[in-house]
Amino acid sequence: MFSEAPSSGASSTSAPEDKIQELRDQINHHNYLYYVLDEPSLPDAEYDRLMRELQALESDHPELITSDSPTQRVGGAPLSGFTEVQHERPMLSLDNAMNAEEFAAFDQRVRDRLKSSEDIEYACEPKLDGLAISLLYIDGLLERAATRGDGETGEDVTQNVRTIKNIPLRLIGDDVPERIEIRGEVYMPKGGFEAYNERARGQGEKVFANPRNAAAGSLRQLDSSITAKRPLEFCAYSLGVVSEEYTLPETHSATLEQIQKWGLRINEEMRVVIGREEAEKFFAGLGEKRLGLGYEIDGTVFKVNSLALQQQLGFVARAPRWAIAYKFPAVEELTELLGVDFQVGRTGALTPVARLKPVHVAGVTVSNATLHNMDEIARLGVKIGDTVIIRRAGDVIPQVVSVVEERRPDTVTDIQMPDACPVCESHVEKVEGEAVARCTGGLVCSAQRKEAIKHFASRKAMDVEGLGDKLIEQMVEAGLIDTLDDLFHLSVEDIAGLERMAEKSAQNVLNALEKSKQTTLARFIYALGIREVGVVTANNLAGYFGFLERIMSATHEQLVAVDDIGDIVAAHIVNFFAEEHNRAVIEQLQKAGIHWEEKEPVSSAEDAPLNGKTAVITGTLSDMTRDDAKAALEALGAKVTGSVSAKTDFLVAGDKAGSKLAKAQKLEVTVYDEAGFKALLDELNSQ
C-alpha cells in the first residue's frame, strides 16, 4: 500500500484520547490522499506504523474504540465518478505479521482455536501489490467488476476491467456455476511500469510513484480507452459469492486450481506447506527471489488450506482468523537528500545522482539514488535538504519517487546543473527539446573515453574477445589508451604489466584485436558509438549506402530516407561526422588495419535477392556470430524471426541446434548447415 518511513511523531501528546484522535486524523488524511486522490504522500511501512500504534492504543483503551475508527474499516470512500457497488459478501483485509514472532503467534492462535496440536496445512501465495478487484460472472459471462472500496461498498469499474487482456470475458468449461464471484488483484508488471514512466518522462507527463499506484490510477480512469493503453494484469486469489448448487472443492488450493481451469491466472509461486517451519522456509525463499520477479509483491499470504477449518475459525471484525499477510521489508523508505552529484556517461550525458542519508531498503543500505535528469528534478520539485521517498525494486537502481513537502525545512537549496563537466571541465550544453544535458568534451573526457572504448570492443561492435571492462579501465588509467586507435598499437609488454595479466593472456588480447580488424561496415558504424545508432540502425545505414565515405558525407535529407532513421537520429549522425576529431579517429583506425568489404547497395528492397523470405537462425555458428548472420540475411532483404512456423522459408542450423531444427524438419522447411549457409551468402552476394 504505502511504504516504510520513520515515525511521524503521532504520540507527541500525552492523553490517550488525544493520541488516538491524532492518529485517526493522520490515517484518514492519508487514506483520502491514497484511495480518493491517488496521490499518496507516505510510504507503506510508515502508514503501517501509524495503524499499529493506533491498534495498540485502542487495545489498551477499548472504551475509546468508535465505529468510525480506521481500525474498524478496510479503506477509504469510493470515488464519486463511478457507480457504487454493494458487496454481497464483504471484501475484508488481512491482518499483518511483521516478523517471525508475530507469524508464530498467528500459527499458535489457529491451533489453539482448533484445539489441535497437529501442524496446520497452509496455502502460500505471494501478496501482490496491486488493487483488489471482484469479478462477477453470470452464466459464464463477465457481468460486473468492482473495486474493494471500503470493503462493504466498492466502485463499478467493469468497462475498465474489460480492457485487461488476461481477464476472460467468458469462463472456460461446462462446470461453471450459474453465478460466481472471483476475487483477485489487478497490478502493473515491473517492466510495463518502467516503460510507462519512461515514456511519460519523455513526454513531460505525470509519472507514477510505484506499480501499485499505477494500477489504481489506471483502473480509476473514467475513459476506458486510457486504461486499455496501460499494461495491467490480473491474478485470482479467492472466490466470493457462489451459486448454492455448486459444490466447492475441499481446499483453498484446489479452489485456485479450479479457477485456473476456468481461464483466469493464479500465481505460479503458489504452494501448499505443512506446519510453521515449512511456511517460514517458503517465506524466506520467496523473499530471496522477490526482487527478481516480474511484478511487485510485499509479502506472503498464508491461508489455512482446508475450507472446513476456515469456516470453523471464522472472522474478526475486519479480517479472517484463518489467514495472515506476512510482510517483507519495505521497498520504499523515507530519508534525507544530502546533495546531488553528476555522473558522466559514455555519450557525455550528465545524470544527477542523489546523495542520501543512508537508509535500509529491502535488505540493502542505500546511500545513492537516481534523479534521471533536470526535467525530472523539476517535476518532483525536489531540493537539497528535502525528505524524500526512495524506492528499490528489482535490478533497477534506487530512485527518488516523491518529496514529502510537509517536512521541508527552511534551509533547502535548489539543485543546479553545472556549467562545466565534473570530469574534464568541458562546457556542458543542453539541446532544446532534449531532457539530457551533455559534456562537449568527446574523447578528451576520460569518463566518455572509458565507456567509448568499452562500447567499441563489445560483442555486437568489434567483438574483441578478452578485452573486458576492467582491463580497459586499467589501460586507460595506466595511460596506455587515449583514443580508440591506441588499442591497435599495444604491445605484449604493455598489457602484461597490468594487474592479473601475464604474457600469454596479453598475447591472447593482441590476437583478438588483430582478428577484430576484419569486420563489417555495420559493426564498425555501431562501434563508433554515435548517439541513438544501435545495431539495427547501423545495419540499415550500411545496407543503404554501402560505403563509409557516403555515410560520412550524407546530408540530413539523405539520412532520413533510410529505414528507421528520423530527424533526431539523422541530426546526431550529421553532427558526429561533422566533428574533425571524429573523422581523425576513423582515419587512424583504418590506418591501423581495420577493414571491411564495401559494395554497391541493393537499389531497393524489392530488388533484394531474399526480399519476402523469412529465416530463422538456431544453434552456434563457428565462423560468425548469430548477430552477424542476421545482419547478412537482413542486408539481402530477408526477415529474420525467432520461431519456426509454416511461414518460415528456411532455417540456418549451427552446432547444437535443438527444437527449432526438429520443428523445421517436421514442417519440411529448407535447412542450411553452416557450410551451406556460407555458400548461399557467397552466391547471393556475388550476383
Side-chain angles (χ1 to χ4, degrees):
M1 209 169 66
F2 297 98
S3 236
E4 196 153 340
S7 173
S8 61
S11 58
S12 59
T13 57
S14 56
E17 56 267 34
D18 291 337
K19 292 179 184 179
I20 286 173
Q21 190 56 52
E22 185 179 348
L23 284 164
R24 288 174 181 171
D25 290 343
Q26 287 190 54
I27 291 169
N28 285 331
H29 171 67
H30 291 298
N31 276 345
Y32 176 78
L33 290 177
Y34 190 84
Y35 290 107
V36 178
L37 300 184
D38 290 330
E39 295 177 357
S41 66
L42 277 186
D44 200 45
E46 176 76 358
Y47 179 91
D48 286 344
R49 286 168 186 156
L50 295 176
M51 180 66 81
R52 289 164 71 82
E53 186 176 354
L54 178 58
Q55 289 170 337
L57 283 170
E58 289 184 347
S59 177
D60 292 338
H61 303 279
E63 73 278 4
L64 298 178
I65 296 176
T66 60
S67 60
D68 63 346
S69 172
T71 63
Q72 305 302 301
R73 56 186 292 175
V74 174
L79 292 172
S80 59
F82 294 97
T83 304
E84 291 188 355
V85 173
Q86 194 73 24
H87 296 301
E88 297 176 52
R89 183 175 170 185
M91 294 183 70
L92 301 178
S93 62
L94 298 176
D95 283 335
N96 293 332
M98 308 305 289
N99 51 51
E101 290 74 20
E102 292 184 6
F103 180 69
F106 161 76
D107 176 69
Q108 188 63 52
R109 287 195 303 272
V110 168
R111 288 187 288 121
D112 288 348
R113 186 166 287 275
L114 293 175
K115 296 180 172 60
S116 172
S117 60
E118 298 295 321
D119 283 340
I120 302 297
E121 184 176 80
Y122 291 110
C124 321
E125 306 163 57
K127 186 178 182 298
L128 293 171
D129 198 10
L131 192 70
I133 291 291
S134 160
L135 307 175
L136 178 64
Y137 287 87
I138 296 180
D139 294 328
L141 292 175
L142 180 62
E143 178 73 14
R144 188 189 68 212
T147 65
R148 177 164 59 186
D150 64 3
E152 298 287 343
T153 304
E155 307 151 0
D156 189 327
V157 289
T158 307
Q159 291 306 309
N160 287 341
V161 165
R162 285 174 67 89
T163 69
I164 301 175
K165 292 182 173 59
N166 76 331
I167 293 181
L169 300 182
R170 179 191 290 274
L171 296 179
I172 300 170
D174 300 325
D175 59 343
V176 178
E178 179 183 341
R179 195 165 185 273
I180 186 165
E181 178 192 1
I182 298 171
R183 294 175 173 179
E185 202 87 356
V186 170
Y187 61 97
M188 188 176 287
K190 292 176 183 175
F193 169 74
E194 295 295 340
Y196 177 87
N197 272 357
E198 192 63 33
R199 285 194 299 271
R201 287 189 191 98
Q203 297 168 9
E205 299 174 356
K206 175 185 175 182
V207 299
F208 288 112
N210 52 55
R212 200 274 176 203
N213 186 231
S218 299
L219 274 184
R220 291 185 175 121
Q221 292 291 328
L222 294 176
D223 183 355
S224 61
S225 66
I226 296 176
T227 306
K229 297 174 184 177
R230 307 280 173 83
L232 299 177
E233 296 183 8
F234 175 81
C235 182
Y237 57 60
S238 71
L239 294 179
V241 175
V242 184
S243 298
E244 291 183 2
E245 83 280 358
Y246 182 76
T247 303
L248 288 168
E250 294 183 354
T251 63
H252 174 73
S253 56
T255 301
L256 290 181
E257 290 169 0
Q258 180 58 63
I259 290 173
Q260 186 177 50
K261 291 176 183 177
W262 287 331
L264 290 114
R265 175 183 295 172
I266 63 173
N267 196 282
E268 71 277 6
E269 302 292 337
M270 193 275 291
R271 300 288 186 274
V272 174
V273 302
I274 297 176
R276 180 169 61 86
E277 187 174 333
E278 286 191 15
E280 286 279 10
K281 288 181 181 178
F282 179 88
F283 176 80
L286 190 61
E288 289 177 0
K289 65 169 67 174
R290 170 193 185 187
L291 297 182
L293 295 174
Y295 45 84
E296 292 282 3
I297 62 174
D298 58 4
T300 304
V301 175
F302 291 98
K303 300 175 183 176
V304 173
N305 198 30
S306 166
L307 298 189
L309 292 183
Q310 286 186 12
Q311 189 171 9
Q312 185 177 337
L313 288 162
F315 300 82
V316 292
R318 61 187 295 274
R321 291 192 180 98
W322 41 264
I324 198 162
Y326 193 170
K327 303 293 284 290
F328 292 131
V331 295
E332 291 182 354
E333 262 293 2
L334 290 183
T335 190
E336 182 183 352
L337 176 60
L338 302 177
V340 175
D341 298 321
F342 287 85
Q343 294 181 347
V344 183
R346 177 179 63 84
T347 63
L350 270 68
T351 301
V353 176
R355 277 189 286 112
L356 305 167
K357 183 177 180 180
V359 63
H360 207 59
V361 187
V364 173
T365 299
V366 174
S367 56
N368 295 289
T370 183
L371 284 164
H372 297 287
N373 52 52
M374 293 303 292
D375 287 354
E376 176 73 355
I377 288 171
R379 186 195 69 77
L380 290 168
V382 63
K383 299 175 184 291
I384 295 171
D386 268 333
T387 295
V388 295
I389 297 175
I390 60 167
R391 179 176 181 80
R392 175 178 178 260
D395 296 326
V396 181
I397 183 174
Q399 57 186 310
V400 176
V401 296
S402 61
V403 178
V404 184
E405 291 193 21
E406 59 201 61
R407 298 191 183 187
R408 173 170 284 171
D410 295 333
T411 55
V412 294
T413 57
D414 291 337
I415 299 169
Q416 301 287 347
M417 171 63 70
D419 294 327
C421 171
V423 175
C424 70
E425 299 185 354
S426 298
H427 176 66
V428 171
E429 66 177 3
K430 187 175 185 294
V431 178
E432 185 176 352
E434 290 193 349
V436 178
R438 298 179 187 277
C439 164
T440 59
L443 293 179
V444 304
C445 180
S446 61
Q448 296 180 66
R449 184 162 63 237
K450 284 182 183 178
E451 295 307 313
I453 296 170
K454 290 176 186 177
H455 175 77
F456 182 81
S458 64
R459 185 177 64 83
K460 291 184 179 181
M462 299 302 290
D463 192 22
V464 184
E465 188 175 351
L467 189 57
D469 290 355
K470 290 185 178 179
L471 182 55
I472 289 172
E473 288 174 4
Q474 287 188 69
M475 289 177 174
V476 172
E477 289 164 6
L480 298 176
I481 309 173
D482 285 324
T483 60
L484 296 176
D485 63 286
D486 287 339
L487 284 168
F488 300 95
H489 300 292
L490 294 168
S491 67
V492 171
E493 291 75 18
D494 289 334
I495 303 174
L498 299 174
E499 183 181 354
R500 296 186 178 181
M501 296 298 293
E503 187 172 327
K504 182 177 180 181
S505 54
Q507 186 60 56
N508 288 339
V509 171
L510 292 181
N511 293 343
L513 283 165
E514 186 65 29
K515 180 180 178 182
S516 74
K517 291 179 181 178
Q518 171 65 54
T519 187
T520 65
L521 177 56
R523 276 184 173 271
F524 184 75
I525 292 295
Y526 173 68
L528 293 176
I530 305 170
R531 284 181 58 198
E532 297 190 43
V533 174
V535 173
V536 173
T537 303
N539 282 331
N540 292 342
L541 283 168
Y544 186 89
F545 290 102
F547 294 84
L548 175 62
E549 188 54 45
R550 293 179 185 175
I551 299 173
M552 293 173 66
S553 60
T555 65
H556 186 98
E557 291 70 24
Q558 290 171 322
L559 288 166
V560 294
V562 181
D563 187 32
D564 191 44
I565 294 181
D567 287 330
I568 293 176
V569 177
H572 292 331
I573 296 169
V574 170
N575 292 338
F576 180 87
F577 289 116
E579 292 290 339
E580 282 303 318
H581 71 266
N582 289 335
R583 288 177 169 268
V585 169
I586 292 170
E587 182 180 351
Q588 292 302 318
L589 287 170
Q590 289 179 296
K591 286 182 178 178
I594 293 179
H595 62 284
W596 53 85
E597 181 183 353
E598 293 188 316
K599 59 183 178 181
E600 290 293 336
V602 177
S603 59
S604 69
E606 289 75 16
D607 296 331
L610 294 180
N611 178 48
K613 301 294 185 183
T614 299
V616 175
I617 305 169
T618 188
T620 302
L621 302 175
S622 60
D623 289 345
M624 68 178 77
T625 67
R626 285 170 60 168
D627 287 333
D628 285 342
K630 180 181 178 182
L633 288 170
E634 289 176 340
L636 292 166
K639 176 183 179 182
V640 181
T641 65
S643 59
V644 176
S645 70
K647 296 181 179 180
T648 302
D649 292 293
F650 62 90
L651 175 82
V652 177
D655 188 34
K656 297 181 180 178
S659 59
K660 291 179 184 178
L661 174 59
K663 187 172 183 180
Q665 292 170 333
K666 183 178 180 180
L667 294 173
E668 298 184 351
V669 171
T670 300
V671 177
Y672 291 101
D673 60 13
E674 185 167 1
F677 175 55
K678 290 169 67 176
L680 174 68
L681 293 180
D682 290 341
E683 177 185 350
L684 295 177
N685 283 321
S686 65
Q687 293 178 359

